[in-house]
Amino acid sequence: MGPVKSARCAVRDPSTPAGSGHEGCFLEASLSGRTSLQEFTMADLAFVVTTIACFALVALVAKGVTKL
């Protein structure tokens, strides 16, 4: 299976300059606000704990329903 885009095309210049004084350099602005690896780790941990809690709650509800 071939690549989706086989030919590279040039990126157009922005119609208006960026507000930070850079002329169309959006990548540089996005790299300056990087978050730390610890923030991503804590977010992942919170997601895993929340998911396990939801499954535990569903299991308890299912167990309660079967006793009816």
Side-chain angles (χ1 to χ4, degrees):
M1 185 173 216
V4 176
K5 286 188 173 183
S6 59
R8 289 187 166 197
C9 58
V11 176
R12 295 183 192 178
D13 292 330
S15 58
T16 57
S20 65
H22 298 288
E23 292 194 17
C25 190
F26 296 109
L27 180 61
E28 190 175 307
S30 67
L31 289 178
S32 64
R34 283 189 161 173
T35 54
S36 68
L37 184 62
Q38 185 178 7
E39 288 182 36
F40 287 126
T41 304
M42 291 303 292
D44 289 342
L45 182 65
F47 175 75
V48 169
V49 168
T50 304
T51 304
I52 290 172
C54 288
F55 275 104
L57 182 63
V58 169
L60 287 173
V61 169
K63 194 173 189 179
V65 168
T66 56
K67 286 185 179 182
L68 292 177

